[in-house]
Amino acid sequence: MENACSAQPAIRWFQRFIWIGILINMVFAVPALLWPDYLNSYFGLPAQAVYPWLQNAGMLLVGVSLFYAPAGVRAERYPVYAWLCVLSRLIAVVFWIYLIQTSGYPDAFRPLLYSDGAMFLILGGLLYAGMPPEHRPWPLIRAGLRGLWRCFCHCFCGRCRKAALIVALVLGFVGFETWLNLFREVPQPPIASDVDHFKYAAIGLGPDARIPLYVFSVLPQVCAQRMPRMGTGWQTFGFIYEGGHDLPIGLAKRQIGYPSVEPNCALCHTGQYRKSADDVPVPVPTAPAALLDLESFQWFLYDCAGDPNFKSKVMDAIEQHYDLGPIEKLFYRFLIVPASQQAFLKQEKQYAWQKLRPLQGPGRTDTFNPTKMVIFGFPDDSTIGTVDLPQIWNQKPRESMYLHWDGNNNDIHERNYAAAMAVGATPQSVLPAEFTRVTDWLLTHQPPKWPFGGLDQVRVSRGRTLWEGNCTSCHDFGKAATGQVTVGLDELGTDPYRVNSFTVGLVDKFHEFKKPPFDFGAYRKTQSYSNTPTDGIWLRGPYLHNGSVPTLWDLLQPPDKRPKVFYRGSSVFDVRNVGFSSAGPEVKGGGYFKFDTRLPGNHNSGHEYGIHLSDSEKWDLIEYMKTL
């Protein structure tokens, strides 16, 4: 009798803390359901956590709280309920520890760890003290296991045996088909050539960054009316195809359950050129992808997914082109295609900020705003970080240089992993061995030589002298200033938007993000742009960090003499001025995207070096730069 009386206060306090726990759950659940953006901002989580995950978490907490209620009313009558409430707090503790170690947002989850840890200790201690011995964990576990064994024996004995076997077979079949169609990873065949590996091997992006191969293949047909230029397929977005391959350079085929495609480094770092509009284009791996219009490609996918008949149209097209089995067809109709549509629509929300900035156009992208807003959940700060896609050849002498356009990082591995993360790689998904092979190959892969011949060696000799007197100290390998930020923005005078878009807050977040193999401790904030090496400069136009000057000849003119408006998107090479043709669509082989240097982030001012040379000296200098 004494033990029963002394146990009653412990049970009463247990029940009180159950209701306190329910109240704590509601403090999180209600904002998660009604004001997810506010809650996301409060915890400093990435933007993708808002929808639908925070709402799902809020609804789950409401359900868990309803499950707690019986233990909060009559714990001694529902001992299993009561102990499951304690167990749920322990599971939450383990989950928060996992997220603190792996998510990159440890500060967001520590308060949740502390609250659930405290509730586990309090509830567990009170319940253990208040329950009779037969209602403590081990006796209940033993009784439960005995009950499960009796149930198992009953199901597989006598008249229930056939029904149980049928249920087991059905569940096994469903489980196997689910694994086969959604989760089975098929090893990709090895690629012997390093250059082909660069162009076509997967580096390991997350599921949201992969597109089902069959969906990708039919979208130009399904959404033909939304293509910027009809009848050109994926080439309309600047994708480069070569013979013998059904996918463009920079898209890797990967099968995890279903075959899919995912971008790799080559998508943004493969260019091409041709001497005239009638010539066959020459692809150049590791060159800037001056034709690739990523933003236009993105919004084609988003607009296509916004069609209310997207699922039925895509499914009909897939069935016309591919021979799907009956089970495979069900997975595509009810899971794979709908999931693709939801992934596109989710990304549309994540990238809505692009609509508030000037169009990027071919050969350009905003490098760090996606990292700020999509990955790290920063609010839109209205900055513009649009830059030209760079070359990535000859990385060995660049290993310790401060690169990215503003010299914010001097670690080649960090730079490469950060670029992969921006397009969808995660620490769990990335394939380190494939990534290492690409990185190692880039160390020694050299830029292409000037392919058009006809170099005037007298001019080259005079140009070398001019180069050594005007340019070498900042742009030649082996010079102290090369690959460093040494000239202030006031003196350099180039467009400031990109350097301003990379913020101290982003540096801090990079430093906090330590989730192997991702570790970004080398990032720093600068106030100007880096002095980049100029190997292969002939193929790196348009020039300046934002691609605002079409040719080397234009770069050597005073800013007020440089073109205010020109066209991008041509692979026809201007051999005389050195750069791609800046003519418009009215000219055969001309560009299609009108680039206006008066728009924010597009200014062509600054870098006023060599502008005071005579025209003859400028041509000499350009002739030498063709040889770099």
Side-chain angles (χ1 to χ4, degrees), residues 2-43:
E2 264 182 45
N3 288 340
C5 291
S6 62
Q8 289 306 312
I11 292 296
R12 285 198 298 270
W13 277 104
F14 171 84
Q15 292 174 168
R16 290 167 185 163
F17 272 97
I18 284 289
W19 289 106
I20 292 172
I22 291 174
L23 180 62
I24 293 173
N25 288 350
M26 292 301 102
V27 167
F28 179 89
V30 173
L33 288 169
L34 302 180
W35 307 288
D37 292 301
Y38 167 77
L39 195 65
N40 184 73
S41 177
Y42 178 80
F43 280 103

Side-chain angles (χ1 to χ4, degrees), residues 267-270 287-294 361-367 387-392 405 540-542 545-547 568:
L267 183 65
C268 295
H269 303 290
T270 297
L291 300 180
L292 180 65
D293 194 341
L294 276 176
R364 304 202 313 158
T365 191
D366 191 318
T367 47
V387 293
D388 239 30
L389 294 168
Q391 54 69 42
I392 55 172
W405 288 107
R540 290 163 61 177
H545 72 276
N546 57 358
R568 296 183 59 127

Side-chain angles (χ1 to χ4, degrees), residues 92-103 428 515:
V93 166
V94 174
F95 181 63
W96 300 134
I97 291 174
Y98 169 76
L99 287 183
I100 288 170
Q101 296 296 321
T102 62
S103 70
Q428 296 83 12
K515 193 173 180 183

